[in-house]
Amino acid sequence: EARLPRREVVLKRLPDGRVSPGGLRVASRVEGEAVLEELNRSLSEVVDFPPTLLRAAGAVVVRATNRQIRPFLDNPLIRAIRRNRNLR
C-alpha cells in the first residue's frame, strides 16, 4: 500500500437533517499518481515479475520472496506491506 496524499470524505447535510457523503477531497491527484508511478518503478527493479498497479486502491501488487522484500521495507513511499492476498 502506497503512502499517498490525504483523502477526505466531504459530508453534506440533507434537508431532513441526515448526513450523507457529498464527495471526496484529495490533496493532489497528480502527486498521488506520481507516488504510485515512482513506487511501481522502484519495485520493478527488485522483483522478478512485473508489479500490478491498483490506482483506485493506492496499492501495488507484487510477487516477491522474503529477500526481495527486505530492500524496500524502509521505503518512505510504502505505508503498509500485506502478504498472501489474492489478486482477482
Side-chain angles (χ1 to χ4, degrees), residues 36-73:
L36 281 174
E37 289 297 332
E38 185 178 339
L39 181 57
N40 191 39
R41 255 192 318 278
S42 66
L43 292 175
S44 296
E45 297 169 1
V46 179
V47 296
D48 295 332
F49 299 96
T52 302
L53 195 56
L54 303 177
R55 293 181 193 283
V60 181
V61 178
V62 296
R63 177 177 288 175
T65 65
N66 288 339
R67 282 190 192 149
Q68 291 170 328
I69 291 172
R70 283 190 191 105
F72 55 85
L73 284 175

Side-chain angles (χ1 to χ4, degrees), residues 11-22:
L11 301 175
K12 65 179 180 180
R13 187 161 301 277
L14 300 174
D16 63 2
R18 293 181 299 148
V19 176
S20 172

Side-chain angles (χ1 to χ4, degrees), residues 22-40:
L24 186 66
R25 184 172 36 224
V26 180
S28 170
R29 185 173 300 275
V30 173
E31 185 181 336
E33 286 291 321
V35 168
L36 281 174
E37 289 297 332
E38 185 178 339
L39 181 57
N40 191 39

Side-chain angles (χ1 to χ4, degrees), residues 5-11 22-27:
R6 187 177 179 139
R7 296 178 285 187
E8 297 176 351
V9 175
V10 178
L11 301 175
L24 186 66
R25 184 172 36 224
V26 180

